[in-house]
Amino acid sequence: MQLNTENKLNKQQLSALEKHLLNDFQHDFPLLSRPYKKIADKLGTTEELVIETLKQLQERGYVSRVGAVFRANSIGASTLAAMSIPEEELDAVAEMINEYSEVNHNYQREHHYNLWFVLTASDEHTLNAILDDIEHRSGHCVMYLPMLEDFHIDLGFDLGFDLEHDSGY
Amino acid sequence: MMDKAVADKVIIEPETEEKVILDDIDRKIVDITQSGLPLVSRPYNDIALRLGIEVSDVIARMKSMQDSGVIRRIAAVPNHYALGYKANGMTVWDVPDDRIHELGEKVGQLDFVSHCYQRPRFLPEWPYNLFAMVHAHDRAEASLLVKKIAELIGEDDRGHDILFSTQILKKTGLRFNQ
């Protein structure tokens, strides 16, 4: 299948150092004065090479960012929201929703509810006002599904690299 | 369509988690680090300089946000889609409320599940109360993962669905309006 071939290609194109940087530091990235030096020591390479490789991974789009991942709903008020929008209105409604800086994610999904977005505001009052505003401007109802409980201990996501058989950078 | 009368927009606080109070400097650190740490030898020094505070203060505040759970993790965040995980499915499940805690913990521990949340039902249109995100290379693989979750949930599975994303319309880090 096309997608699988592409994927294998991608993985083969990654060096062992790149795979380690992608897979091994999805949690406990060092909170030290020189974090990249610490990573380099762990992987037996140099700080310069770690920084350079991360830059390249970012440029190639494999790393979206090196930074903090925040727990949903721990700051301010947030909710997942969904709307059922006729196909011909979808682009316009999506564009209108994206105008709000409080909207972090917005996905089109294959379903009767075809527009799914996450809203994070400083407080509940602001959040509700934006939801009302979106309903009013779009003329469609919003289904809002705030998180009640988080069951996942987030340690990142095993990328399935076969690192045991890689050696050397 | 949806009944406005049931649409009471009350945000229910998560039962098990407390709100954490962040001061202005914490919020600025959140803003700056959301778009990424600088790829330089001393990235926290850069942040300290921008905020006009000591680097030890930046590190201490980030450590404290990590301890309180505001920061889940600090990471080189991979772009799953670019790495070949093209089928990203939001799986949704209708399970009995008195079973959701136990089932949620089990599903959340599966290594192919990246997020697992309880959310309210939105009746009558939306009966699902358990959400689990799965990432797979293609839809066939995603369907196998759904089957594995279904087996785990067993007879408590009163109905489920998978919603594949077809387009990312927006994806940014958390932003505060300041």
Side-chain angles (χ1 to χ4, degrees):
Chain A
M1 224 176 126
Q2 178 87 30
L3 291 179
N4 264 331
T5 320
E6 268 178 33
N7 175 58
K8 277 178 189 143
L9 208 66
N10 281 345
K11 284 188 180 172
Q12 277 168 5
Q13 283 168 350
L14 295 168
S15 71
L17 175 59
E18 288 172 329
K19 288 178 186 174
H20 277 292
L21 287 174
L22 283 165
N23 197 64
D24 302 356
F25 298 94
Q26 296 182 61
H27 57 101
D28 43 75
F29 180 90
L31 205 42
L32 299 166
S33 171
R34 293 174 69 182
Y36 306 111
K37 169 83 165 63
K38 176 83 178 175
I39 288 173
D41 289 347
K42 273 191 188 169
L43 297 177
T45 181
T46 66
E47 184 184 27
E48 292 74 21
L49 192 58
V50 165
I51 291 175
E52 188 50 39
T53 309
L54 281 171
K55 273 185 190 165
Q56 283 173 16
L57 284 171
Q58 217 163 10
E59 275 163 26
R60 286 155 70 195
Y62 293 144
V63 164
S64 43
R65 66 175 192 280
V66 179
V69 177
F70 292 88
R71 194 182 71 198
N73 229 16
S74 65
I75 327 166
S78 68
T79 189
L80 175 68
M83 299 177 85
S84 175
I85 305 293
E87 201 62 40
E88 63 275 14
E89 290 175 46
L90 191 77
D91 286 347
V93 174
E95 205 172 306
M96 183 269 281
I97 288 170
N98 290 349
E99 283 171 15
Y100 296 89
S101 61
E102 289 85 354
V103 172
N104 322 118
H105 293 195
N106 189 4
Y107 289 89
Q108 183 185 351
R109 294 190 183 277
E110 262 179 29
H111 194 268
H112 166 68
Y113 285 103
N114 52 354
L115 202 58
W116 290 79
F117 54 97
V118 177
L119 260 172
T120 303
S122 49
D123 54 66
E124 286 172 33
H125 179 76
T126 313
L127 188 74
N128 289 341
I130 294 168
L131 289 169
D132 282 341
D133 205 35
I134 289 174
E135 285 190 334
H136 182 73
R137 289 176 69 192
S138 68
H140 295 282
C141 290
V142 178
M143 170 168 84
Y144 43 88
L145 304 165
M147 181 188 82
L148 299 181
E149 193 167 350
D150 186 352
F151 296 114
H152 184 69
I153 299 160
D154 186 6
L155 296 175
F157 182 73
D158 188 348
L159 293 168
F161 294 138
D162 192 5
L163 288 168
E164 304 241 328
H165 300 107
D166 282 316
S167 58
Y169 302 128
Chain B
M1 282 305 301
M2 209 175 298
D3 183 358
K4 276 289 247 185
V6 287
D8 186 22
K9 293 193 192 81
V10 177
I11 304 302
I12 305 155
E13 298 285 326
E15 280 171 33
T16 53
E17 293 168 3
E18 287 169 25
K19 293 279 167 180
V20 180
I21 306 296
L22 301 181
D23 67 16
D24 271 1
I25 294 174
D26 289 333
R27 282 176 176 246
K28 281 180 183 153
I29 292 174
V30 171
D31 263 357
I32 290 175
T33 54
Q34 257 298 283
S35 51
L37 292 174
L39 289 166
V40 296
S41 178
R42 291 180 169 80
Y44 304 110
N45 287 47
D46 268 35
I47 297 166
L49 264 177
R50 285 173 67 181
L51 295 176
I53 60 175
E54 293 295 320
V55 63
S56 56
D57 196 14
V58 172
I59 291 177
R61 281 168 181 273
M62 288 185 71
K63 178 80 175 56
S64 152
M65 284 193 273
Q66 216 169 18
D67 291 344
S68 66
V70 171
I71 294 179
R72 301 179 75 139
R73 54 197 174 96
I74 302 169
V77 183
N79 179 341
H80 295 128
Y81 193 84
L83 288 164
Y85 290 86
K86 307 283 185 191
N88 300 300
M90 183 173 76
T91 73
V92 293
W93 306 80
D94 175 13
V95 302
D97 286 332
D98 60 358
R99 299 276 301 134
I100 196 164
H101 191 83
E102 188 187 325
L103 295 169
E105 298 271 321
K106 279 188 187 169
V107 173
Q109 278 172 24
L110 296 169
D111 57 6
F112 54 84
V113 169
S114 69
H115 298 82
C116 185
Y117 299 127
Q118 180 189 0
R119 298 186 185 278
R121 296 184 181 85
F122 204 88
L123 298 170
E125 298 213 343
W126 189 259
Y128 308 109
N129 56 347
L130 184 65
F131 287 60
M133 293 296 307
V134 300
H135 302 275
H137 296 102
D138 53 48
R139 293 193 178 200
E141 188 186 332
S143 300
L144 284 178
L145 301 180
V146 171
K147 219 174 134 195
K148 281 188 188 173
I149 299 175
E151 278 165 14
L152 188 66
I153 294 179
E155 61 186 19
D156 289 321
D157 175 14
R158 300 190 298 202
H160 66 259
D161 202 352
I162 181 165
L163 284 74
F164 287 107
S165 61
T166 46
Q167 205 182 341
I168 300 171
L169 301 163
K170 185 176 187 181
K171 190 172 185 184
T172 61
L174 201 59
R175 293 261 172 243
F176 289 112
N177 260 345
Q178 300 214 338

